[in-house]
Each structure stands twice: as C-alpha cells, then as structure tokens.
C-alpha cells in the first residue's frame, strides 16, 4: 500500500474524494501544501484489499489514526509500494522543505520523487518511534524548479505508517503580510504569512502557508486582535494577542487555528492593554463586585499603570498586578478578609495622626486586601476619600476598591525595596512585586508554595495577553 496528500487537518471534514485530481498550488512561496496520506490520486499496492477497512475500498491499507488532528493513516506498508499525489504546483524555483509524518516501531526508509521517479527528491530515514501510532515528523530540504508535478512517496522498506506529507517554501519573494502576520521563529524569523479578518481553521490556515504548531511570533495591526487556538477547530487553550509580540512565550509553537477580528480593547490606557474579554478569561469565577469597568475607571487615577514602556512592558505590568490581586482574593472572589480583625495600631508612633474611628475595623478589603488604619488613612488621603471614617467604602464601591489596590501598587514600597510598579518597569522582575506585598512572609524561603502560586497566575495571564515574562526574577 502507499500514500497520498491533501490539506493537513482535513482529516475529518475536508477529505478528498477517491479519483479526484487535486491541484495543490503554492500560490506564493510562503505557502505550504499538505497532503493527507489517504488522499492519493494513484497507487501501487502489493496486497489485495484494504486491511484497515477505512475511508476507501481499493487495495491501499487505511486505518483511523490517533495522531494529532485525527483522521486516517496509511499502514501495512510493504517494500516497493507507492502513492501519488497529483497537481503539485511550484510557482517559483528555489529551496523547499519536504516534511513527512510517520510512525515506526523499529525504523524504516521511504523516498520521495516527482513525476513517476524522473526527479528524485531523496530518501527519508524513519526513526524508531516505539509504536505504530507514535508519530514523528521527518524532513528534507530540496531544490525544485517552478512547474506542476505529481508527487510520489515510495516505500523502500516495510514497517512504517504514513499520515501526511507537506511541501513548504524556504524563502524567496512573494511573502505577504496582513492585519495579522505570523512568523515561524521568535523575533520575526523564518517563514511568515499574513491573515486578514476572518476565521481560519487548521485546514485553511495551513493551506494559506502557516504551518501547524510552528508559530512563534506575531504582529497585529492597530485596532485588531487575533485569537490563537491550541486545536485545529478553535478549541482547547487559546490566547488573545494584539500589537507586536516578539515571542509567544507559553503559546510558542502551539497555534493550530486562528481568528482575526477588530480589537475589543479599543480604549486608551489600561483598556488598550487588557480587553474585557481577556479580563473575563482571567477571572471566569470572579465576584461580580470586581467589575472591568471599575478597574478601567480606577486606572485613570494612575495613568502610568500599564502605561509605561512598550506594549510588552505594559502587558507584563498588567499581568503582574492582576496575578497578585488574584492571589490575594482567591481569584477576585473575596471582597473582604475572612478573618476580620480590628487592625488598629499606632502605625507611625504618633497616635493623633490616624486614630481609629469609633466602631470601625480596618481588616482587608478589595483586590489588595487593604489592611490597618494607617493604610486606610494614607490611601484615602491620596485618593481624596475619608477612608478612616468609612473603610467600608472599599468593599462597597468597585472603582474605589480598584483605586486602593493601584495606590499600593504604584506608590508603596511595603515590605520590599520599591513600589511594585517600579519593579516591573525597572526590570527587577515579578519576584520583587511579591516582596513588596508580603516580604519575608513569602520571600527568602518564607513560603515558596505561595510564591509559586503567584508565579503560576502571572504566567497564565502572560499567556492570555500574549507576551513573555521579560527581565528580572520570577521568584523572590
């Protein structure tokens, strides 16, 4: 039995019909053509019947595969069997990469050619993958002249399964950009491909020249955003990206489908860095008290918050602050502290500076869990509010709650060396924001589990915002 090609993720829905001629054209040199093994236009098989009993009724042996994307693979391959995929159109002479998806318990050899073997593209050594459904991708770089060809896959040995084969240009003119431009490597290296508004599942994405699980950096035009998905059908983990992202950090080499749309965060300041949809993704189970609108309004009090440096730096600060706020409140669930103590003290050795108001208690409230009478007085003075007399305002007004959190973040050194804002924009790293908030209670080995919990949230939010952690230490 032998092999054939079409569009890589078409396994379940865009399958080629037996006998149809497929014109697989690289419309420009940035594109890739992927053929599924089961979609051949001609074959030679040495055994009668389809042993796998799937997809087609001729002599090629086809079975369902458990490889990523599902669909089918060709199996029970014997020496000298071959598959042909018709209509491979090469628009420009130059260097191309041939990629084959294969599995083999103990190793095997295949070869690839054009036009019935008249042009040999070379042998592919198939490594031992440890099982018939343990898949790997083998590659070979070749030079192909412009023209239209039949692509052939020839079995030199037995003992391997075949899923798909891909032809992709290694460069040359004709690459295009769009509202979204995706790149193979970080820092905008390797092949690239442009997309305009719309939805591009794995089939369409790869047919347009972007390779599955091979996108590492992106550029998004102003006023637009892109949603990158883990799976070919807009499912699994996802991340919303905007602006220029030099490296996708936790989403590097994971994109299998794409949506490009007008940006939902078209405002200024914090609203231009974190959209409401991203905020909702970060806090799916949050208390309704913690509104996005309240945070946007509060951020106008401190415009330098998530407003300093390039877009990546702004995203990092937003992610860092929200990660710490999430940790302090159980994912923005708690508006007030569970153990509500008095928290009344002589905070500056001057009892007359900020005496506790009769009947008022200064337990933790809001995203940063503002505590102690001295902090309520200082925050109130900065915000023009009498929080000494009315500390409950922090748990009654969402904008005020967010303002107190940003007051601490932007202006207070706490138990650290500098305000958390200064640590983020100064390149000291996320770990120093933890030190500012909780000092030796967590840092320097005080509670490494709590430090890691904050780091985990930070990485999750960076992922959603489509940026990396940047300089400095993650921990403290």
């Amino acid at each position: 039995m032998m092999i054939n090609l079409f569009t890589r993720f078409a396994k379940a829905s865009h399958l080629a019909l037996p006998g149809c001629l497929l014109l697989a054209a690289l419309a420009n040199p940035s594109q890739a053509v992927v053929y599924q093994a089961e979609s051949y236009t001609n074959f030679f098989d040495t055994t009668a019947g389809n042993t796998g009993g799937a997809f087609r009724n001729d002599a090629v042996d086809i079975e369902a595969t458990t490889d990523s994307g599902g669909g089918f693979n060709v199996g029970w391959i014997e020496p000298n069997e071959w598959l042909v995929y018709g209509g491979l159109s090469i628009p420009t002479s130059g260097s191309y990469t041939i990629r084959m998806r294969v599995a083999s318990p103990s190793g095997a050899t295949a070869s690839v050619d054009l036009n019935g073997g008249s042009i040999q593209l070379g042998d592919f050594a198939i490594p031992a993958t440890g099982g018939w459904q343990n898949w790997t991708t083998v590659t070979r770089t070749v030079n192909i002249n412009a023209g239209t060809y039949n692509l052939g896959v020839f079995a030199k040995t037995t003992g391997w399964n075949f899923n798909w084969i891909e032809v992709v240009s290694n460069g040359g003119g004709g690459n295009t950009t769009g509202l979204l431009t995706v790149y193979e490597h970080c820092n905008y290296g390797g092949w690239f491909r442009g997309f305009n508004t719309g939805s591009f599942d794995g089939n369409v994405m790869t047919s347009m020249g972007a390779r599955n699980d091979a996108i590492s950096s992106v550029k998004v035009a102003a006023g637009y955003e892109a949603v990158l998905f883990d799976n070919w059908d807009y499912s699994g983990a996802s991340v919303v990206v905007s602006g220029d992202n030099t490296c996708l950090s936790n989403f590097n080499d994971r994109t299998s489908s794409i949506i490009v749309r007008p940006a939902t965060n078209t405002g200024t300041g914090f609203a231009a860095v974190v959209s409401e949809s991203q905020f909702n993704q970060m806090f799916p189970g949050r208390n309704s008290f913690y509104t996005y609108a309240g945070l946007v309004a509060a951020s106008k009090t401190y415009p330098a918050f998530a407003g300093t440096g390039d877009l990546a730096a702004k995203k990092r600060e937003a992610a860092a602050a929200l990660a710490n706020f999430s940790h302090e409140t159980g994912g923005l669930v708690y508006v007030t502290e569970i153990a509500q103590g008095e928290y009344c003290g002589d905070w500056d050795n001057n009892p007359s500076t900020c005496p506790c108001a009769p009947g008022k208690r200064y337990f933790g409230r809001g995203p940063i869990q503002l505590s102690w009478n001295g902090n309520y007085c200082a925050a109130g003075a900065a915000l023009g509010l009498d929080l000494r007399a009315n500390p409950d305002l922090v748990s009654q007004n969402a904008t005020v709650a967010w303002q107190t959190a940003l007051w601490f973040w932007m202006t207070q050194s706490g138990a650290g060396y500098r305000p958390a804002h200064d640590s983020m924009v100064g390149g000291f790293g996320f770990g120093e924001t933890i030190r500012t908030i909780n000092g030796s209670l967590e840092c320097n080995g005080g509670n490494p589990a709590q430090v890691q919990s904050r780091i985990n949230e930070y990485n999750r939010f960076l992922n959603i915002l489509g940026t990396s952690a940047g300089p400095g230490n993650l921990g403290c």
Side-chain angles (χ1 to χ4, degrees):
M1 39 134 287
M2 269 323 326
I3 28 198
N4 102 312
L5 336 122
F6 185 39
T7 307
R8 172 130 128 234
F9 291 90
K11 307 219 165 189
S13 59
H14 293 79
L15 296 170
L17 295 176
C20 291
L21 177 63
L22 306 173
L23 180 61
L26 285 83
N28 67 65
S30 72
Q31 290 191 343
V33 169
V34 187
Y35 299 93
Q36 296 300 330
E38 68 273 13
S39 300
Y40 46 87
T41 55
N42 202 354
F43 71 91
F44 171 73
D45 195 281
T46 60
T47 58
N50 180 353
T51 303
F55 188 66
R56 296 172 75 153
N57 295 320
D58 52 32
V60 178
D61 305 304
I62 301 172
E63 65 181 342
T65 182
T66 60
D67 195 11
S68 175
F72 306 96
N73 67 259
V74 172
W76 297 275
I77 299 172
E78 298 294 335
N80 300 317
E81 293 181 337
W82 48 261
L83 297 172
V84 171
Y85 306 89
L88 173 64
S89 179
I90 301 294
T92 304
S93 299
S95 174
Y96 291 80
T97 294
I98 309 294
R99 304 172 73 234
M100 292 179 61
R101 189 69 168 171
V102 292
S104 175
S106 56
T109 304
S111 67
V112 177
D113 59 63
L114 301 175
N115 293 349
S118 62
I119 302 173
Q120 292 291 328
L121 299 181
D123 290 351
F124 285 74
I126 299 170
T129 63
W132 294 107
Q133 292 294 323
N134 294 343
W135 295 93
T136 191
T137 304
V138 294
T139 65
R140 185 177 180 86
T141 301
V142 298
N143 290 314
I144 307 177
N145 292 328
T148 300
Y149 302 93
N150 291 325
L151 177 66
V153 178
F154 182 83
K156 303 191 82 168
T157 68
T158 189
W160 57 288
N161 282 352
F162 177 62
N163 193 357
W164 49 255
I165 186 169
E166 174 185 68
V167 182
V168 61
S169 172
N170 292 326
N175 286 321
T176 60
T177 58
L179 297 173
L180 165 70
T181 307
V182 300
Y183 297 82
E184 181 181 16
H185 302 309
C186 291
N187 299 310
Y188 318 118
W191 57 260
F192 60 94
R193 182 61 185 162
F195 296 83
N196 290 314
T197 54
S199 299
F200 309 89
D201 68 12
N203 297 307
V204 177
M205 187 186 84
T206 55
S207 71
M208 292 180 63
R211 281 150 57 181
N212 174 56
D213 291 342
I215 295 171
S216 297
S217 56
V218 302
K219 292 183 178 181
V220 185
Y224 292 86
E225 64 187 16
V227 189
L228 310 180
F229 295 89
D230 222 359
N231 299 332
W232 72 278
D233 58 352
Y234 317 112
S235 65
S238 65
V239 60
V240 179
V241 295
S242 59
D244 294 350
N245 293 261
T246 59
C247 201
L248 289 173
S249 184
N250 294 337
F251 224 76
N252 183 31
D253 288 342
R254 289 178 59 180
T255 300
S256 296
S257 53
I258 296 170
I259 293 175
V260 183
R261 65 194 185 194
T264 55
N265 54 341
T266 54
T268 58
F270 176 81
V273 177
V274 179
S275 70
E276 186 167 8
S277 64
Q278 290 171 325
F279 181 77
N280 291 337
Q281 187 179 354
M282 292 172 176
F283 303 104
R286 75 179 188 279
N287 190 307
S288 60
F289 172 79
Y290 290 113
T291 63
Y292 176 77
L295 176 53
V296 170
S299 68
K300 295 177 181 178
T301 305
Y302 294 98
F305 170 67
T308 305
D310 60 16
L311 181 60
K314 295 173 184 176
K315 289 181 177 182
R316 289 186 195 111
E317 182 177 15
L322 292 173
N324 280 301
F325 299 162
S326 178
H327 182 86
E328 295 295 318
T329 59
L332 294 186
V333 171
Y334 296 103
V335 177
T336 60
E337 186 178 5
I338 296 175
Q340 298 179 359
E342 295 295 330
Y343 293 98
C344 178
D346 182 9
W347 65 291
D348 66 348
N349 297 315
N350 186 349
S352 65
T353 302
C354 182
C356 298
K360 300 299 180 180
R361 294 189 296 165
Y362 301 92
F363 51 78
R365 296 175 176 88
I368 203 69
Q369 292 291 283
L370 188 71
S371 305
W372 292 98
N373 55 310
N375 283 324
Y376 277 87
C377 284
L383 300 172
L385 302 169
D386 190 358
L387 297 182
R388 183 191 74 88
N390 188 13
D392 292 317
L393 187 61
V394 179
S395 58
Q396 296 169 346
N397 184 303
T399 298
V400 172
W402 287 115
Q403 282 178 319
T404 61
L406 295 183
W407 163 80
F408 184 89
W409 182 267
M410 299 296 295
T411 69
Q412 301 301 296
S413 298
Y417 304 123
R418 64 190 71 81
H421 167 76
D422 293 353
S423 288
M424 291 307 300
V425 301
F428 295 98
F430 178 71
E432 290 306 304
T433 72
I434 303 173
R435 190 185 306 278
T436 293
I437 292 170
N438 240 5
S440 60
L441 292 177
E442 294 185 21
C443 295
N444 301 326
N447 196 328
Q450 293 298 303
V451 171
Q452 189 59 51
S453 175
R454 294 181 193 263
I455 292 172
N456 292 344
E457 283 292 83
Y458 181 49
N459 283 329
R460 185 168 71 88
F461 293 168
L462 289 172
N463 188 14
I464 291 172
L465 296 179
T467 193
S468 60
N473 294 326
L474 283 175
C476 60

